[in-house]
Amino acid sequence: MITEGEEQDTRDDEVIRFEGVTKRYGRHDSPAVGHLDLAVTRGELVALVGPSGCGKSTILRMVNRLVEPSAGRIVVDGRDAAHTDVVALRRGIGYVIQAGGLLPHRTIRQNVATVPRLLGWDADVTRRRVDELLELVGLDGWAHGDRYPAQLSGGQQQRVGVARALAADPPVLLMDEPFGAVDPVVRDRLQSEFRRIQQELGKTVLFVTHDLDEAVKLADRIAVFSTGGVLEQIATPTTLLSEPASEFVVDFIGSDRGLRRLAVTPIRPEDLERPLVLAPADGAAYAATALELDGRAWAVVLDHGRLLGWVARGPLLEQRGSRSARVGDHTRRFPTTVAARETLRSAFSALLAQELRFLPVLDGEEFLGVLTPDVVHTALRRDL
Ligand code: ADP
């Protein structure tokens, strides 16, 4: 028997806690999930990853009691799920599955209004809430609301699925491969938008995915499972990729973990190259000599600290004899710059999208240095 007193022992910031949870589907089968201890704190997004059949969906479905544990207990928002009325429990938990799991014969608005209707909300309040949610997920209520799911693209259906799960403002979201059925470009956008919404609303999320890159991009922590629902490691994406805790995790992450770390590695100013800096008023002769000493074929041009562009050695050498030629006459603008708060991944892709092999990094207006392929290499090799 679980008493009220025992239930209150959950730490305040823990919204979902698994305590020694085991699930066996058949009486003699080996467990699908074996003695799982795991806590998810408020506002956190924890991704569950691992090979197919390792128990991820089972873990998720035990939280809203679509599956009942064989042993152990799950505490959701301070209450033992097994002792909470299942309807009340599910009201506090949004559930998003692949392709949105929408009701095909109901319009988008009706789909989003499912839970408010079950809760007996006033029609006006419900309508306003539906409008608000469709706007939140980027679907204008008038353009899409009266259509049926089949008339929407996969990505749009998925947005509706998220809106529906958020309708009654549940503190917890369970998401089972929610973006698995949409194409990579749309998925990327949905992931970014979802992460923004989740952080803005402070929802606590358990997120099942077989896509490690998705987990790295979205999660605060990633839980890696092996068959039998065995928790191999739970860690932030950075720690997981740089310090895998077992051979299993090393194999699961794969040999391209160095590349995966791009997405979670910040740009460190101290890693950037500091090229020669010239001013627009510098003479060509001085600049050409400085560049020869520097050894690079280009320099950055700053005007009182403000980035103007870059200058190549060639034209300066040609103008060396001219008394009037200035660096400013030969300065070219950078096609792109990158902000210091971006990840190496977005900086590196910006670098690849342009012809130049160097990309200036700015902190606000301040020029910090340039990113080159060498800088990326150094940053990723560190801690490996
Ligand atoms: P994952 O989500 O990681 O692919 P699942 O949780 O779906 O894993 O499944 C874990 C294990 O439990 C698998 O061996 C699967 O075959 C088994 N399983 C899942 N659901 C059922 C069920 N309803 N009845 C019997 N076995 C099941």
Side-chain angles (χ1 to χ4, degrees):
M1 236 339 246
I2 307 239
T3 66
E4 287 294 318
E6 274 177 275
E7 287 184 25
Q8 282 162 6
D9 67 4
T10 346
R11 283 179 33 204
D12 271 358
D13 59 343
E14 288 177 358
V15 178
I16 308 171
R17 193 169 69 190
F18 296 83
E19 294 176 1
V21 173
T22 296
K23 175 64 189 176
R24 279 174 211 279
Y25 281 103
R27 211 136 57 96
H28 304 292
D29 288 356
S30 51
V33 177
H35 207 83
L36 174 64
D37 292 312
L38 176 72
V40 184
T41 57
R42 195 169 303 282
E44 193 181 28
L45 191 154
V46 172
L48 312 181
V49 302
S52 176
C54 72
K56 304 181 292 293
S57 293
T58 300
I59 293 167
L60 201 72
R61 292 156 69 91
M62 285 191 288
V63 177
N64 61 1
R65 291 181 57 192
L66 288 169
V67 170
E68 297 286 355
S70 313
R73 69 168 190 162
I74 301 172
V75 182
V76 181
D77 224 5
R79 297 206 290 177
D80 186 335
H83 296 259
T84 309
D85 170 60
V86 79
V87 177
L89 177 77
R90 288 181 193 161
R91 259 180 224 156
I93 302 175
Y95 186 44
V96 186
I97 57 174
Q98 208 170 85
L102 304 177
L103 302 166
H105 304 301
R106 292 185 177 271
T107 66
I108 297 314
R109 300 185 69 85
Q110 289 168 338
N111 264 286
V112 176
T114 306
V115 177
R117 210 175 35 238
L118 287 175
L119 297 177
W121 287 17
D122 172 82
D124 276 346
V125 176
T126 305
R127 197 170 318 118
R128 276 201 298 277
R129 179 69 180 150
V130 170
D131 282 341
E132 190 182 300
L133 286 161
L134 289 177
E135 196 185 318
L136 181 72
V137 299
L139 292 175
D140 162 29
W142 298 115
H144 302 284
D146 298 320
R147 297 191 197 167
Y148 289 88
Q151 296 172 289
L152 267 55
S153 71
Q156 289 170 331
Q157 290 183 29
Q158 207 56 69
R159 287 165 194 262
V160 177
V162 171
R164 187 179 60 173
L166 290 170
D169 203 19
V172 172
L173 286 183
L174 303 178
M175 306 183 79
D176 198 344
E177 300 264 4
F179 308 132
V182 290
D183 70 72
V185 176
V186 175
R187 189 185 313 153
D188 200 58
R189 204 163 53 223
L190 285 176
Q191 287 165 346
S192 307
E193 289 179 17
F194 174 70
R195 181 61 161 158
R196 179 183 53 76
I197 291 171
Q198 181 257 337
Q199 288 181 329
E200 214 171 277
L201 304 180
K203 299 295 175 197
T204 305
V205 184
L206 258 191
F207 191 108
V208 167
T209 178
H210 66 271
D211 177 358
L212 182 60
D213 291 316
E214 178 167 76
V216 166
K217 179 168 174 189
L218 288 180
D220 296 301
R221 287 189 300 158
I222 300 176
V224 183
F225 291 90
S226 56
T227 305
V230 176
L231 180 58
E232 295 280 340
Q233 184 172 10
I234 177 158
T236 62
T238 312
T239 305
L240 186 81
L241 294 175
S242 53
E243 297 162 39
S246 67
E247 276 306 307
F248 179 88
V249 179
V250 171
D251 282 350
F252 183 74
I253 292 172
S255 53
D256 48 359
R257 77 184 163 111
L259 269 181
R260 293 206 155 100
R261 292 178 69 219
L262 271 175
V264 291
T265 309
I267 299 173
R268 289 208 205 168
E270 62 269 30
D271 286 344
L272 299 175
E273 276 190 42
R274 311 283 151 146
L276 176 67
V277 170
L278 295 170
D282 287 337
Y286 161 76
T289 308
L291 268 169
E292 274 176 342
L293 291 173
D294 178 69
R296 286 190 188 82
W298 50 274
V300 163
V301 183
L302 298 185
D303 186 12
H304 297 97
R306 199 169 54 86
L307 181 71
L308 283 190
W310 64 284
V311 66
R313 187 169 56 191
L316 294 174
L317 283 174
E318 282 171 25
Q319 297 289 316
R320 193 169 214 171
S322 156
R323 286 175 150 265
S324 59
R326 303 270 160 237
V327 164
D329 305 333
H330 300 282
T331 300
R332 292 191 245 169
R333 286 169 149 273
F334 281 106
T336 343
T337 63
V338 63
R341 63 180 141 69
E342 305 230 354
T343 64
L344 268 191
R345 180 181 148 138
S346 54
F348 194 38
S349 72
L351 181 66
L352 292 176
Q354 62 166 27
E355 220 161 292
L356 293 179
R357 286 159 171 267
F358 47 97
L359 180 67
V361 178
L362 301 177
D363 181 6
E365 293 273 289
E366 189 194 351
F367 170 74
L368 297 181
V370 297
L371 185 98
T372 64
D374 272 353
V375 170
V376 177
H377 188 256
T378 307
L380 289 182
R381 292 288 307 163
R382 184 186 304 115
D383 311 327
L384 268 191

